[in-house]
Short mmCIF file of all heavy atoms in Angstrom, two decimals:
data_model
loop_
_atom_site.label_atom_id
_atom_site.label_comp_id
_atom_site.label_asym_id
_atom_site.label_seq_id
_atom_site.Cartn_x
_atom_site.Cartn_y
_atom_site.Cartn_z
N PHE A 75 -127.11 -61.62 99.22
CA PHE A 75 -128.51 -61.31 99.03
C PHE A 75 -128.76 -60.85 97.60
O PHE A 75 -127.85 -60.35 96.92
CB PHE A 75 -128.96 -60.15 99.94
CG PHE A 75 -128.68 -60.31 101.40
CD1 PHE A 75 -127.41 -60.11 101.92
CD2 PHE A 75 -129.70 -60.65 102.28
CE1 PHE A 75 -127.15 -60.24 103.27
CE2 PHE A 75 -129.45 -60.78 103.64
CZ PHE A 75 -128.17 -60.57 104.13
N TYR A 77 -131.63 -58.14 96.18
CA TYR A 77 -132.74 -57.24 96.44
C TYR A 77 -133.29 -56.75 95.10
O TYR A 77 -132.54 -56.60 94.13
CB TYR A 77 -132.28 -56.02 97.26
CG TYR A 77 -132.17 -56.25 98.74
CD1 TYR A 77 -131.02 -56.82 99.30
CD2 TYR A 77 -133.19 -55.88 99.62
CE1 TYR A 77 -130.91 -57.01 100.66
CE2 TYR A 77 -133.08 -56.06 100.99
CZ TYR A 77 -131.94 -56.63 101.50
OH TYR A 77 -131.82 -56.82 102.86
N GLN A 79 -135.69 -53.61 93.26
CA GLN A 79 -136.27 -52.27 93.42
C GLN A 79 -137.14 -51.98 92.21
O GLN A 79 -136.61 -51.81 91.09
CB GLN A 79 -135.17 -51.21 93.56
CG GLN A 79 -135.71 -49.82 93.81
CD GLN A 79 -134.61 -48.78 93.95
OE1 GLN A 79 -133.50 -48.95 93.45
NE2 GLN A 79 -134.91 -47.69 94.65
N THR A 92 -126.92 -67.80 103.47
CA THR A 92 -126.17 -67.60 104.71
C THR A 92 -125.51 -68.91 105.13
O THR A 92 -125.63 -69.33 106.28
CB THR A 92 -127.08 -67.08 105.83
OG1 THR A 92 -128.20 -67.98 105.97
CG2 THR A 92 -127.57 -65.69 105.55
N SER A 137 -121.02 -58.93 108.80
CA SER A 137 -121.74 -58.75 110.06
C SER A 137 -120.80 -58.74 111.25
O SER A 137 -119.89 -59.55 111.35
CB SER A 137 -122.74 -59.90 110.26
OG SER A 137 -123.68 -59.91 109.22
N GLY A 140 -124.00 -56.42 116.69
CA GLY A 140 -124.72 -55.16 116.80
C GLY A 140 -125.11 -54.55 115.48
O GLY A 140 -125.98 -53.69 115.44
N ASN A 141 -124.50 -54.94 114.39
CA ASN A 141 -124.88 -54.31 113.13
C ASN A 141 -124.39 -55.13 111.95
O ASN A 141 -123.60 -56.04 112.10
CB ASN A 141 -124.33 -52.90 113.03
CG ASN A 141 -122.86 -52.89 112.66
OD1 ASN A 141 -122.51 -52.77 111.50
ND2 ASN A 141 -122.00 -53.07 113.63
N GLU A 142 -124.89 -54.75 110.82
CA GLU A 142 -124.54 -55.46 109.59
C GLU A 142 -124.28 -54.42 108.50
O GLU A 142 -125.07 -53.50 108.33
CB GLU A 142 -125.72 -56.34 109.18
CG GLU A 142 -125.55 -57.03 107.85
CD GLU A 142 -126.69 -57.97 107.58
OE1 GLU A 142 -127.82 -57.65 107.98
OE2 GLU A 142 -126.45 -59.03 107.00
N LYS A 143 -123.19 -54.59 107.78
CA LYS A 143 -122.85 -53.65 106.73
C LYS A 143 -123.06 -54.34 105.39
O LYS A 143 -122.44 -55.34 105.09
CB LYS A 143 -121.40 -53.20 106.86
CG LYS A 143 -120.98 -52.22 105.78
CD LYS A 143 -119.55 -51.77 105.99
CE LYS A 143 -119.08 -50.91 104.84
NZ LYS A 143 -117.68 -50.47 105.03
N TYR B 452 -130.49 -47.88 109.75
CA TYR B 452 -129.46 -47.48 108.78
C TYR B 452 -129.98 -46.34 107.90
O TYR B 452 -131.18 -46.22 107.66
CB TYR B 452 -129.11 -48.64 107.85
CG TYR B 452 -128.81 -49.97 108.53
CD1 TYR B 452 -129.83 -50.81 108.97
CD2 TYR B 452 -127.50 -50.39 108.71
CE1 TYR B 452 -129.56 -52.02 109.57
CE2 TYR B 452 -127.22 -51.61 109.30
CZ TYR B 452 -128.25 -52.42 109.73
OH TYR B 452 -127.97 -53.63 110.32
N GLN B 456 -128.74 -43.29 97.57
CA GLN B 456 -128.75 -43.84 96.21
C GLN B 456 -128.57 -42.70 95.23
O GLN B 456 -129.42 -41.81 95.15
CB GLN B 456 -130.03 -44.61 95.93
CG GLN B 456 -130.01 -45.31 94.57
CD GLN B 456 -131.24 -46.17 94.33
OE1 GLN B 456 -132.36 -45.76 94.61
NE2 GLN B 456 -131.04 -47.38 93.82
N ASN B 469 -127.27 -48.76 116.51
CA ASN B 469 -127.78 -49.90 117.25
C ASN B 469 -128.15 -49.42 118.64
O ASN B 469 -127.30 -48.90 119.37
CB ASN B 469 -126.75 -51.03 117.31
CG ASN B 469 -127.25 -52.22 118.11
OD1 ASN B 469 -126.93 -52.38 119.29
ND2 ASN B 469 -128.05 -53.03 117.49
N ILE B 474 -122.89 -46.81 115.10
CA ILE B 474 -122.00 -47.95 114.88
C ILE B 474 -121.17 -47.74 113.61
O ILE B 474 -119.98 -47.99 113.59
CB ILE B 474 -122.81 -49.26 114.75
CG1 ILE B 474 -123.65 -49.50 116.01
CG2 ILE B 474 -121.88 -50.42 114.47
CD1 ILE B 474 -122.83 -49.69 117.27
N ILE B 475 -121.81 -47.33 112.54
CA ILE B 475 -121.13 -47.13 111.26
C ILE B 475 -121.28 -45.68 110.84
O ILE B 475 -122.36 -45.12 110.87
CB ILE B 475 -121.72 -48.04 110.15
CG1 ILE B 475 -121.47 -49.50 110.45
CG2 ILE B 475 -121.12 -47.67 108.79
CD1 ILE B 475 -122.12 -50.44 109.44
N SER B 521 -125.44 -65.26 111.20
CA SER B 521 -124.61 -64.71 110.13
C SER B 521 -125.17 -63.43 109.54
O SER B 521 -124.43 -62.51 109.20
CB SER B 521 -124.43 -65.75 109.02
OG SER B 521 -125.69 -66.17 108.55
N SER B 522 -126.45 -63.35 109.44
CA SER B 522 -126.98 -62.16 108.78
C SER B 522 -128.49 -62.09 108.91
O SER B 522 -129.16 -63.11 109.04
CB SER B 522 -126.62 -62.21 107.30
OG SER B 522 -126.98 -61.00 106.67
N TYR B 523 -129.00 -60.88 108.91
CA TYR B 523 -130.43 -60.66 108.89
C TYR B 523 -130.82 -59.84 107.68
O TYR B 523 -130.04 -59.03 107.18
CB TYR B 523 -130.87 -59.89 110.13
CG TYR B 523 -130.94 -60.71 111.40
CD1 TYR B 523 -130.13 -60.41 112.47
CD2 TYR B 523 -131.85 -61.75 111.53
CE1 TYR B 523 -130.20 -61.15 113.64
CE2 TYR B 523 -131.94 -62.48 112.69
CZ TYR B 523 -131.11 -62.18 113.75
OH TYR B 523 -131.18 -62.89 114.91
N GLN B 525 -132.46 -56.78 105.91
CA GLN B 525 -132.75 -55.39 106.24
C GLN B 525 -134.05 -55.00 105.54
O GLN B 525 -134.28 -55.34 104.38
CB GLN B 525 -131.62 -54.47 105.80
CG GLN B 525 -130.36 -54.66 106.63
CD GLN B 525 -129.30 -53.63 106.36
OE1 GLN B 525 -129.55 -52.60 105.73
NE2 GLN B 525 -128.09 -53.89 106.84
#
Side-chain angles (χ1 to χ4, degrees):
Chain A
F75 305 78
Y77 279 83
Q79 183 180 24
T92 54
S137 299
N141 78 95
E142 174 175 36
K143 179 178 174 181
Chain B
Y452 311 80
Q456 186 176 43
N469 179 261
I474 301 297
I475 295 176
S521 56
S522 187
Y523 283 117
Q525 291 188 14

